[in-house]
Amino acid sequence: MAITRRKFIQIGAAGAGGAAVASGLGTRWWGLDRDPVPDPGTDGDRVVASYCELCFWGCGVLAHVKDGRVTKITGNPEHPLSRGMLCPRGAGATGLLYDPDRLRRPLVRRAKRGEDVFEEVSWDAALNETGEKLLQVKARHGAEAVALFTHGSGGVWFKHFMKAWGSPNVGAPSYAQCRGPREAAFTLTFGTPLGSPEPIDLANARCITLIGSHLGENMHNTQVQELAEAIGKGAGLVVVDPRFSVAASKAKFWLPVKPGTDIALLLAWMNVLVAEKLYDAEYVARYAEGFDALAAHVADKTPEWAYAITGVRPELIRASARFIGGARPASLVHPGRHTVWYGDDTQRERAMAILAALLGSWGRRGGYLTASKFPVPAYPLPADLPHAPAKDPTDKPKAGGYPLATEVLASGLCDATKPGHALYDLKAWIVYGCNLLQAMPNRKELLDTIQNLEFMVAIDVLPAEVTGWADVVLPESTYLERDDDVSAPPYKRPFVALRQAAVEPMYDSRPGWWIAKALAEHVGLGGWFPWKDAKEYVRTRLAQKGLPYDELAAKGVLLGPAAPTCEEEGAPVGAATENGKIQLFSKELAQLGFDPLPVYVPQDEGPPGHFRLLSGRAPLHTFGRTVNNRLLAEPFPENEVWLNADAARSLPGFELRPLENGERVVLVNQDGIRSTPVKVKLTQRIRGDCVYLVHGWGQTARRLRYAHGRGASDSLLTSRYKVDPIMGGTGMNVNFVRLERAGEAA
């Protein structure tokens, strides 16, 4: 059954509450009608192909331009990540382009750091200030005293600047605060990280298991389309989530697990698969090693054992395990994206990877696929560059004492900025496109760390909270106003996509390539940026392979030759480990002193009268990056705190006047930190021991005139975290809150 544009919009709209009304569509999550929405045609005098930056997915878009303004954004049917469709965020990109609160000119701080008092200056003055301060840090402390925090595709230009500068200290919060545990776990098990987009075959899966992954509310475009296709073909969903999410509402099995007990549930599932011989014995015998140790490890991890821990009934654990095993090998355990929860996250993801191996889904249709990459050579740099790049410091912030960290830890860079750090003494930060106040745990600790800096420069489109703590703020153009590097991630069908400006930059903003190149010239490293502009950079890269730039510019994307992606298509099955075997029992973990098989360890309980704080996202918002977007805010104006309606009736302090749905409350965490007032959503769709917030709200930046003060910030309340000892991820679901009625002191 083909998925229609109408159906795809419904998938995202239902999870957004009022979004379905705003779009004029029904509220069914899986719209079953086959009638496509007619394409209204071109709304303008030209259409420019590009790829999106409203989230990291990078969907292909067509920007319709009329009289120098972008009038609408549609999905590029040629691009494999959009397939002609966009999520609500992508379609609302003009809300960012024409946001009245955008940064317009370079800013230099004229008061104490954090007071958000700036003077508008020229680009030359801002770059002179930035270059001078960076050179002073380099002269006093060395090149490696400068660190880059980055998020988004435009960060490639600043990573190149850091290479020229001579510092390897480049980190992204998306690793240690998001996806790092799964990369470590799948590398341990299969010898390779997953990367992005994840190489999974949702469309052909017969069973899809989501463990804390809110697919549908977490609008990863292609995956939501493929999930709809799979459901249309009869696939069943198994959803493990303390909250009755949109996906849970469509599931064959919903397991409302107690937060922090997922490993126990996964071990119990393995117990059933092994005991009832529902695992793929032939596959495991041929491609894996360590099965006997695994079987012995889970022999006593029965559903009855797990029930006492997870709160999920034994018959539900057993029935869902049988369903998962019965659909193998097209039984896909989704790896998730935001995977830092409790500090044992690599082991939880290890359990998920081991489960996938027992199902025989690695390398099989309906499971995990082999991805390939479009070959685009690097830009040829001159041989006589003025500075040599620094060596990769595998024993410094990259690892930070965490042996299986595969990238520099953003939290490690923060630690290395604190006085007296044993390995580094960072003195200057370049922050590109990431609001660290929303991304990092323990805001007070982060701000104290920032105060230790000699210099910080922030490059952003909006006056996000972090820009208020910078010394210099450089306004970047939105993705609709700038040319950029190509996108060519590994994928089922290799492709290369081009970003190109649809309109001229507004105000005095500049594209990232221009900022990085100009900054390099101000510090004597212009030779590292020999290209005239991003167009020339891309043309030169493509020309080395004889690829047609003009065709790419016209279509927005070029597809590479199709290659086998699974065993059914002729791709070899196996692991990229040292001996080519899937590692069920990890000798590497054992040698490092960690459990070679996942072990359930109880999590700390919260204080009496408190609820565990959980967070996620909504289909109309990319965390804090879109909360100021007026187009997206119309159907989803602010977040709410989900609270179990039965639990609300027994709240301490509310006996005389019970809490009502829609009332504003203040959340107070275990350390006394208070949120801004937020509406309470009383519902039976969440367990009674936790509450839930959509991440990104409660913004403190006053120059974000719409978002400022709306809703509550889960980041502010995340004053504690547990560090994953294997790869350094910061588990943040270890905070607890109590509720007060807004305006009433406890």
Side-chain angles (χ1 to χ4, degrees):
M1 179 175 70
I3 183 173
T4 64
R5 182 170 180 264
R6 177 187 177 97
K7 184 186 308 177
F8 181 56
I9 295 175
Q10 285 172 321
I11 291 170
V21 177
S23 66
L25 302 172
T27 58
R28 288 172 300 155
W29 199 58
W30 305 109
L32 298 179
D33 58 289
R34 296 172 179 268
D35 300 325
V37 176
D39 186 349
T42 301
D43 184 15
D45 44 47
R46 61 192 178 94
V47 177
V48 179
S50 190
Y51 64 91
C52 185
E53 189 73 20
L54 267 288
C55 83
F56 65 86
W57 206 249
C59 293
V61 301
L62 300 175
H64 298 246
V65 182
K66 184 176 183 179
D67 298 329
R69 288 182 63 87
V70 178
T71 57
K72 72 174 181 179
I73 310 291
T74 59
N76 185 348
E78 304 286 338
H79 198 293
L81 295 185
S82 57
R83 306 196 302 178
M85 304 179 196
L86 292 179
C87 74
R89 304 186 307 268
T94 54
L96 175 63
L97 173 62
Y98 299 118
D99 191 316
D101 300 332
R102 279 183 55 180
L103 292 168
R104 302 187 175 205
R105 295 171 187 84
L107 304 173
V108 173
R109 183 169 58 83
R110 297 304 188 208
K112 291 181 179 179
R113 185 176 285 152
E115 291 185 355
D116 206 3
V117 177
F118 291 87
E119 177 188 355
E120 291 186 347
V121 299
S122 68
W123 272 100
D124 198 47
L127 291 169
N128 280 338
E129 176 88 359
T130 302
E132 180 181 335
K133 291 297 175 62
L134 290 178
L135 288 172
Q136 288 174 1
V137 168
K138 190 174 190 177
R140 287 195 292 262
H141 310 286
E144 294 184 356
V146 178
L148 168 67
F149 295 82
T150 179
H151 188 275
S153 56
V156 65
W157 308 108
F158 297 92
K159 291 177 183 177
H160 186 71
F161 173 85
M162 292 295 284
K163 183 178 180 180
W165 180 260
S167 174
N169 295 318
V170 178
S174 61
Y175 179 71
Q177 284 67 53
C178 189
R179 58 187 167 78
R182 71 164 202 194
E183 305 298 80
F186 276 75
T187 301
L188 283 164
T189 310
F190 299 107
T192 182
L194 293 178
S196 179
E198 296 82 15
I200 55 178
D201 189 14
L202 281 161
N204 293 306
R206 294 171 54 207
C207 170
I208 299 165
T209 301
L210 303 176
I211 301 176
S213 180
H214 310 142
L215 200 55
E217 290 155 301
N218 194 358
M219 288 290 287
H220 296 162
N221 189 338
T222 328
Q223 290 190 6
V224 177
Q225 293 188 50
E226 292 182 350
L227 181 61
E229 291 175 8
I231 296 294
K233 292 188 291 188
L237 283 177
V238 176
V239 175
V240 179
D241 202 316
R243 184 175 62 95
F244 193 66
S245 64
V246 173
S249 72
K250 306 305 167 186
K252 183 177 180 67
F253 296 99
W254 172 49
L255 289 76
V257 67
K258 180 181 179 180
T261 65
D262 304 83
I263 290 178
L265 174 64
L266 287 159
L267 293 173
W269 272 347
M270 293 183 214
N271 170 279
V272 176
L273 294 181
V274 172
E276 300 187 10
K277 300 190 185 321
L278 295 173
Y279 69 98
D280 194 326
E282 181 181 351
Y283 178 95
V284 169
R286 183 175 180 183
Y287 298 115
E289 66 178 15
F291 175 77
D292 289 343
L294 174 66
H297 180 64
V298 301
D300 61 345
K301 309 301 188 297
T302 63
E304 288 73 21
W305 166 83
Y307 173 45
I309 297 169
T310 65
V312 180
R313 301 187 315 275
E315 59 270 24
L316 180 55
I317 296 176
R318 194 165 272 112
S320 56
R322 289 168 177 165
F323 181 70
I324 291 169
R328 63 174 171 81
S331 186
L332 175 63
V333 181
H334 194 290
R337 184 79 189 188
H338 182 264
T339 60
V340 286
W341 298 350
Y342 304 107
D344 59 359
D345 306 301
T346 298
Q347 292 288 19
R348 185 189 69 253
E349 287 285 330
R350 266 276 292 159
M352 294 163 65
I354 292 169
L355 180 61
L358 291 178
L359 296 169
S361 65
W362 182 265
R364 257 74 174 283
R365 180 169 290 144
Y368 285 82
L369 303 177
T370 300
S372 52
K373 189 174 173 64
F374 199 104
V376 183
Y379 190 96
L381 293 171
D384 56 344
L385 289 171
H387 291 85
K391 294 182 179 179
D392 186 33
T394 54
D395 61 338
K396 293 189 178 179
K398 178 172 183 177
Y402 306 106
L404 296 182
T406 57
E407 297 182 23
V408 173
L409 305 175
S411 45
L413 295 177
C414 291
D415 289 342
T417 308
K418 298 172 185 175
H421 191 273
L423 297 175
Y424 266 90
D425 193 11
L426 297 178
K427 295 296 184 181
W429 288 1
I430 301 171
V431 181
Y432 173 81
C434 51
N435 184 5
L436 297 178
L437 274 68
Q438 289 285 345
M440 307 296 292
N442 197 327
R443 184 171 297 184
K444 181 182 184 303
E445 184 178 72
L446 172 68
L447 294 179
D448 288 346
T449 300
I450 289 175
Q451 295 289 27
N452 291 322
L453 290 169
E454 293 183 8
F455 180 70
M456 183 170 82
V457 57
I459 302 102
D460 216 316
V461 173
L462 291 172
E465 290 158 311
V466 71
T467 65
W469 294 81
D471 299 294
V472 176
V473 181
L474 304 178
E476 188 185 27
S477 309
T478 70
Y479 90 84
L480 290 166
E481 304 163 289
R482 68 178 192 249
D483 297 318
D484 242 325
D485 197 6
V486 293
S487 170
Y491 198 58
K492 294 174 286 188
R493 176 76 182 271
F495 69 90
V496 58
L498 178 66
R499 174 172 291 147
Q500 48 190 340
V503 292
E504 291 296 315
M506 295 178 65
Y507 316 118
D508 201 12
S509 66
R510 302 292 170 90
W513 68 262
W514 185 95
I515 299 173
K517 178 180 171 68
L519 181 57
E521 290 168 350
H522 274 72
V523 296
L525 297 173
W528 281 82
F529 291 76
W531 46 87
K532 175 186 174 184
D533 53 29
K535 275 192 172 68
E536 181 190 323
Y537 177 88
V538 172
R539 282 183 183 275
T540 303
R541 291 190 67 191
L542 296 175
Q544 296 175 85
K545 282 286 185 179
L547 298 172
Y549 177 89
D550 292 341
E551 182 182 353
L552 177 59
K555 294 181 177 179
V557 64
L558 295 175
L559 299 178
T565 62
C566 55
E567 182 183 50
E568 293 83 352
E569 295 175 358
V573 176
T577 56
E578 187 174 345
N579 65 359
K581 295 283 188 178
I582 298 169
Q583 301 297 300
L584 304 180
F585 180 97
S586 175
K587 296 176 183 176
E588 184 174 1
L589 284 178
Q591 290 169 356
L592 292 168
F594 299 114
D595 292 322
L597 290 164
V599 174
Y600 168 69
V601 178
Q603 294 292 323
D604 296 333
E605 299 291 339
H610 285 62
F611 302 87
R612 189 180 293 272
L613 176 63
L614 305 177
S615 65
R617 64 191 296 179
L620 276 91
H621 289 286
T622 309
F623 303 136
R625 301 182 74 184
T626 58
V627 295
N628 207 60
N629 186 316
R630 273 70 163 179
L631 290 179
L632 300 178
E634 183 177 347
F636 197 108
E638 60 184 293
N639 64 357
E640 301 172 310
V641 57
W642 289 44
L643 173 66
N644 180 273
D646 292 336
R649 283 191 281 271
S650 58
L651 278 177
F654 292 84
E655 294 88 354
L656 297 178
R657 184 159 62 95
L659 194 62
E660 295 183 5
N661 189 54
E663 270 195 85
R664 291 195 177 270
V665 297
V666 172
L667 306 179
V668 186
N669 82 349
Q670 70 282 331
D671 298 317
I673 296 175
R674 305 173 64 86
S675 76
T676 47
V678 60
K679 289 182 180 179
V680 65
K681 177 186 178 74
L682 299 182
T683 176
Q684 298 293 346
R685 292 174 54 191
I686 190 169
R687 286 177 54 102
D689 53 4
C690 54
V691 295
Y692 171 83
L693 281 173
V694 171
H695 175 69
W697 295 90
Q699 297 273 334
T700 60
R702 294 187 178 278
R703 288 178 292 159
L704 295 175
R705 288 175 292 176
Y706 176 81
H708 175 255
R710 287 182 182 264
S713 170
D714 61 300
S715 299
L716 177 66
L717 298 167
T718 305
S719 54
R720 299 187 185 184
Y721 56 95
K722 282 189 177 180
V723 179
D724 187 321
I726 297 175
M727 56 64 57
T730 51
M732 292 181 270
N733 290 3
V734 297
N735 291 269
F736 297 86
V737 297
R738 59 179 175 85
L739 279 71
E740 293 180 4
R741 185 173 267 117
E744 296 183 7

